[in-house]
Amino acid sequence: MAEAGEYFVGVDLGGTKIYTGVFDRALKMVGTARISTKAQRGHEAVIERIARCVEDAVDECDLSLKQVKGVGIGAPGAVDPVSGTVLFAPNLEWKDVPLKKALEKKLGVPVRVENDCNAATLGIFEVELKSKPRNLAGIYIGTGIGGGLVINGEPYGGSNRTAGEVGHMVLEINGPKCGCGNNGCFEALASRTAIFRKIHAAVKAGQKTILTDMLGTDLADLRSGDLRKAVRRGDKLVDRIIEEAAEYTGIAVANLMNILNPEVVVLGGGLIEALEDEMLAIIIETAKDYAMPGTSKGVDIIATSLADNAGIVGGAVVARRAS
Ligand SMILES: [Zn+2]
């Protein structure tokens, strides 16, 4: 029988799904659960669903909450990790939601809240990279682009705990409008949203792609996996747009290398997961091209092997660090 409080639960809170994982002290994953977020029902309903998803994962492992030492959540937005409040999460339409307090009341277990990209970076740092690099930069490309930093072996939040917003480094001053209000942010050029927007515009302008054969002319329900299929079938339009996104990502990596000179730059998120084979080599080549001489020497630019589990592993690491 397991002793009391031997396990940690990591929570990946996304705009569409909640994913939870139970981990032992060595952070070996022992079970998971998944549920839709249903953000439109409001934050109280979502917190109820997070609690349910934590309980489901724990039950799946034939454990009880008494055996859980802590819960760590990666939330998609600005977070105050000290109070555990989600300050602002546009995907969830949350503002000043006291997530830690509300969830601790429901579960009776200590809860820690972190920004999802910071949590994922810590998860990759401690579990995948065994805490070996002293300095690490993480870039996550999905609907948006987020980042996380580890400096001198510790998570780096900066003076206002907002550091690591790699998605909003400006790469084209006359580029497309970004959600943050600026023009030409990395996120506005290379996120899945930006890629989909370019494909829609090209199709509207009459350019040919097999995506319209696959999904119809309105490209309803377009996913990252469809982009991979199109590239592998030799689709020139999608291939060009993906190559362009990979080049922008390479330039962003070069900027990070020039400023931070980390041992490792790790890439993750849904787009990288689906298109690693198509994008990573271009990202590495472009990054080395743009970095200052000597800067990229010995720097590893890798895609995380944790894939979809980076968020829950990160949550568990956040919980374990707090215990
Ligand atoms: Zn921006």
Side-chain angles (χ1 to χ4, degrees), residues 167-170 177-188:
H168 300 283
M169 70 172 99
V170 175
K177 195 95 181 157
C178 180
C180 74
N182 288 336
N183 284 80
C185 292
F186 174 26
E187 176 170 302

Side-chain angles (χ1 to χ4, degrees), residues 38-94:
K38 306 226 182 283
Q40 75 281 5
R41 293 188 190 171
H43 71 262
E44 278 166 15
V46 172
I47 292 168
E48 189 69 55
R49 293 175 78 75
I50 297 169
R52 196 199 303 172
C53 198
V54 169
E55 286 163 348
D56 282 354
V58 169
D59 182 59
E60 191 61 39
C61 306
D62 296 312
L63 297 169
S64 79
L65 281 172
K66 285 197 184 68
Q67 290 161 287
V68 173
K69 196 161 190 195
V71 173
I73 304 182
V79 163
D80 176 357
V82 178
S83 66
T85 301
V86 177
L87 304 172
F88 177 59
N91 286 348
L92 300 168
E93 293 185 35
W94 282 16

Side-chain angles (χ1 to χ4, degrees), residues 9 21 94 98 118 164 173 202 206 215 264 312:
V9 178
W94 282 16
N118 289 344
I173 52 169
L215 303 162
V264 182
I312 55 171

Side-chain angles (χ1 to χ4, degrees), residues 99-118:
L99 180 56
K100 171 186 162 78
K101 215 170 125 196
L103 205 59
E104 282 181 344
K105 208 167 151 193
K106 283 190 199 299
L107 295 172
V109 172
V111 172
R112 296 289 294 198
V113 184
E114 246 304 348
N115 164 270
D116 54 357
C117 294
N118 289 344

Side-chain angles (χ1 to χ4, degrees), residues 86-158:
V86 177
L87 304 172
F88 177 59
N91 286 348
L92 300 168
E93 293 185 35
W94 282 16
K95 209 172 169 285
D96 296 323
V97 173
L99 180 56
K100 171 186 162 78
K101 215 170 125 196
L103 205 59
E104 282 181 344
K105 208 167 151 193
K106 283 190 199 299
L107 295 172
V109 172
V111 172
R112 296 289 294 198
V113 184
E114 246 304 348
N115 164 270
D116 54 357
C117 294
N118 289 344
T121 304
L122 268 179
I124 291 166
F125 173 66
E126 285 199 11
V127 175
E128 183 175 356
L129 303 174
K130 313 282 177 225
S131 303
K132 275 187 201 138
R134 299 303 295 158
N135 303 296
L136 167 73
I139 301 177
Y140 308 95
I141 310 183
T143 316
I145 298 180
L149 303 171
V150 170
I151 309 260
N152 287 328
E154 287 296 325
Y156 181 77

Side-chain angles (χ1 to χ4, degrees), residues 139 141 145 171 186 189-191 195 198 238-254 267 271-272 275-288 290 301:
I139 301 177
I141 310 183
I145 298 180
L171 302 181
F186 174 26
L189 292 160
S191 64
I195 290 169
K198 286 182 200 176
V238 178
D239 190 66
R240 180 178 60 73
I241 290 172
I242 292 299
E243 192 182 323
E244 215 172 79
E247 285 169 357
Y248 280 121
T249 306
I251 296 170
V253 170
L267 296 144
L271 190 80
I272 295 294
L275 290 149
E276 181 186 337
D277 293 345
E278 286 71 21
M279 294 178 76
L280 189 60
I282 303 170
I283 294 169
I284 293 171
E285 199 193 319
T286 312
K288 292 193 167 163
Y290 277 80
I301 301 167

